[in-house]
Amino acid sequence: MHLAFAPRSILYALVLVVATYLLYVTFVIDHSLESLPHSAPPSQQEIFPEVSSEEWACRADQVKQGFKHAYHSYEKYAAPYDELLPITHGKINNFNGWGVTAFDSLDTMLIMDLQHEFERALGIVARANFSVSSDRAFVPYFETVIRYLGGLLGAYALSHEKLLLDRADELAMILDGVFDSASGLPFYGVNPASGKPEGSELGILAEMATLQLEYTYLAKLTGKKDYFNHANNVMRTLYSADLHETGGMLPVIWNLTSGTPVDTHLSVGSQADSTHEYLLKQYLLTGQTDKASLEMYVQATTFIITHLLFISPKRHLLYVTDTIGSTYKEAGTSMHTFEHLSCFLPGLLALGAHLLPLDNLASLGVDILNLRGRDGAYGHASKGYRQLASWNLKKVHLWAAEGLAQTCYLTYADQASGLGADEMVFGKWSGSKAQAKDHSYDESYSWIRAMETWRQSGSRGPPPGVGDKAPIVHTEAEAMSGWTKRDYVMKKWSYLLRPETVESLFILWRVTGDVKWRHRGWKIFEAIERETKTPSGYGSPRSVGRSPAPLDDNMPSYFLAETLKYLYLLFNDEELIPLDRWVFNTEAHPFPVFEWTEHEKTMFNL
Ligand SMILES: *[C@@H]1O[C@H](CO)[C@@H](O)[C@H](O)[C@H]1NC(C)=O
Ligand SMILES: *[C@@H]1O[C@H](CO)[C@@H](O)[C@H](O)[C@H]1NC(C)=O
């Protein structure tokens, strides 16, 4: 019997090998070289093994152990300095010298139930002297607000430890000099001893408009009108700005004297990111009552979706980029750069799609064609508003979120190290002319236009840029040799232990319930453990194209505040911080959603 079956098994095995090879040739080799324009690549789902609840709990625990490794190393070698140097066992003061890693880690400890670490960190909080900065004469306002003030407030919200609120109030008073501009928009920094502001008359969007959540919550806790006014003034200034030239989008550079925008650089990347984020989050934090924030969020996302989202030529990866030189008549020039920092956007879009009635904005008195009562003033962008008005906005936001999150994940899965690069350039030709012949076209195209084509075709497949795609792994040498099948080339090879991608994976998991987002997060955590862990902490890979990745000697505090926190929440079955009751600041510090009391409304003239 055995003998009789043997030849047949060999035959089966041969058939299987040949079939696999043919599939490989058809989908992997052929497809990537001969893709036809506008025909979507076949959906290629990565296969993830079934994982039990117990196993997810175990994974969450591994993240907690990782946090302990990082924080204990910080305590041993660096506290109360700001950050640990994880390769040389050194320490550095780079954010005022008050112990930023301890402040930034407080609420992560509470979420992970690390009470002893929390008690010890409170000692550092109690001893920090906010009147002196040890690394320069002034303190940078934006970083101080999101890391220190946000850290204190998030930990206060979870513990009600009075020291934390007292110190938050004290810190905010020391920072108050930044608001000494004619418009009330904050300067870059302040001398903590003299209270004198520091910085140019021109401000950067993210740096001058990322304080609304912190100051609004602080006003709620302390009852102090000044804090409320600072946040409110920023929102009113943004709301009343003339955005005629930039199609309703908040540009990057602003004049702090006049409180008006002065350039046409439009971005969701490093200089703008958290301002767009705070438009939605301010609306959510204040119990969905501030219609102006909501309108600005709809306005910003409409511009982003119709002008900043592109599809790459071969793999049809959805990405977001910057434009410059927008005028009233014409959209600006697209840069086609894609930053790791922009990977917060899929999470934000998913959060908005989850919590807002985007498919029925009229129920909130919001008309996308008449935002702020002045449609028509937006020139070329008006077309974008009309375009989106004919779609179910909830679906469009969620599709954009899924497509972008998939791309953010692939920028990790495509690398030899399994970690994501800091910046890439998409859709640009970088190879030789001879190679170009294999390649029918090389330009990215507008997502919204591709969506229109998809709708008209009546296709039942997923919208362009949405749906799973297989990674294409290149080493540094392969990627550097010019021609890349991946549709992008690297601009910055480093992975700075940043959180944005896992943040979005966490929100996508919570919003869609699709377990693939969790599995992808686990792959990223495995890569972090494999590539970045040192005997005393976690280092920052200089190049994601190599494994083992060469490491730089730094461990930013946001790795403990954000990256490890979001991973922990992603793997935890329990919804520790429900998205409808908490709002994360841009450094992942959670503040509770609230409504103003009648007394507060009177006090703050609401
Ligand atoms: C903080 O530092 C300043 C300047 O060195 C000093 O005058 C002050 O006494 C210090 N405060 C505390 C509480 O140690
Ligand atoms: C900022 O605006 C003020 C008031 O309009 C103006 O006098 C000043 O020149 C502007 N500054 C810059 C750098 O553009």
Side-chain angles (χ1 to χ4, degrees), residues 127-132:
R127 286 189 293 273
N129 186 341
F130 294 153
S131 317
V132 273

Side-chain angles (χ1 to χ4, degrees), residues 31 48 74 96 104 116 152 163 170 182 235 251-252 338 368 418 448 458 496 546 567 571 594 596:
H31 177 76
F48 296 112
Y74 165 73
N96 315 338
D104 233 2
H116 296 301
L152 288 166
L163 169 74
E170 184 194 334
M235 284 315 230
V252 167
F338 178 59
I368 191 172
I448 194 68
L496 305 177
R546 277 183 260 166
L567 284 165
F571 304 142
F594 64 81
W596 297 113

Side-chain angles (χ1 to χ4, degrees), residues 257-334:
T257 303
S258 58
T260 55
V262 298
D263 81 336
T264 57
H265 178 192
L266 306 177
S267 173
V268 294
S270 61
Q271 297 181 314
D273 45 10
S274 45
T275 301
H276 304 303
E277 179 184 347
Y278 276 26
L279 298 177
L280 173 64
K281 291 186 170 180
Q282 179 75 353
Y283 181 70
L284 299 177
L285 181 71
T286 52
Q288 309 202 9
T289 50
D290 178 11
K291 196 173 152 204
S293 305
L294 174 65
E295 287 197 14
M296 285 193 280
Y297 179 69
V298 174
Q299 197 169 328
T301 49
T302 299
F303 188 90
I304 293 165
I305 288 169
T306 56
H307 288 77
L308 302 185
L309 293 190
F310 287 85
I311 296 273
S312 75
K314 283 176 174 290
R315 295 170 82 191
H316 299 187
L317 304 180
L318 182 61
Y319 65 93
V320 62
T321 192
D322 292 11
T323 72
I324 46 164
S326 177
T327 67
Y328 175 68
K329 286 210 179 87
E330 285 173 38
T333 308
S334 301

Side-chain angles (χ1 to χ4, degrees), residues 322-507:
D322 292 11
T323 72
I324 46 164
S326 177
T327 67
Y328 175 68
K329 286 210 179 87
E330 285 173 38
T333 308
S334 301
M335 313 289 284
H336 297 289
T337 50
F338 178 59
E339 294 172 66
H340 190 291
L341 284 166
S342 303
C343 283
F344 80 98
L345 183 65
L348 185 73
L349 290 171
L351 185 66
H354 185 54
L355 294 174
L356 303 174
L358 284 177
D359 49 355
N360 184 12
L361 281 172
S363 66
L364 300 176
V366 173
D367 174 3
I368 191 172
L369 290 179
N370 207 16
L371 290 170
R372 301 158 54 182
R374 37 194 260 201
D375 176 53
Y378 292 131
H380 69 84
S382 299
K383 188 163 160 259
Y385 290 90
R386 286 195 301 276
Q387 245 169 340
L388 279 199
S390 68
W391 287 89
N392 177 329
L393 216 51
K394 206 181 189 85
K395 281 190 181 164
V396 170
H397 280 226
L398 203 53
W399 283 328
E402 290 184 26
L404 288 167
Q406 150 89 30
T407 304
C408 290
Y409 167 68
L410 281 177
T411 68
Y412 284 63
D414 280 355
Q415 319 309 332
S417 66
L419 294 168
D422 209 46
E423 197 171 339
M424 290 135 284
V425 185
F426 263 93
K428 284 269 167 77
W429 182 246
S430 65
S432 70
K433 288 240 166 70
Q435 286 166 320
K437 273 196 265 162
D438 291 343
H439 183 74
S440 44
Y441 66 142
D442 62 12
E443 288 296 314
S444 295
Y445 46 94
S446 145
W447 187 56
I448 194 68
R449 288 221 313 272
M451 290 284 284
E452 294 290 353
T453 309
W454 172 77
R455 180 162 67 176
Q456 279 156 21
S457 76
S459 162
R460 287 174 175 276
V466 185
D468 298 331
K469 290 166 187 105
I472 298 179
V473 182
H474 279 186
T475 62
E476 196 178 58
E478 286 165 336
M480 298 252 254
S481 71
W483 161 230
T484 168
K485 293 190 275 196
R486 302 194 294 186
D487 277 0
Y488 62 83
V489 291
M490 298 297 201
K491 196 165 170 200
K492 292 184 191 158
W493 286 90
S494 50
Y495 169 61
L496 305 177
L497 299 175
R498 287 198 196 279
E500 292 76 21
T501 295
V502 294
E503 167 183 354
S504 283
L505 297 180
F506 160 64
I507 297 172

Side-chain angles (χ1 to χ4, degrees), residues 201-202 255 257-258:
E201 190 182 26
L202 297 180
N255 182 324
T257 303
S258 58

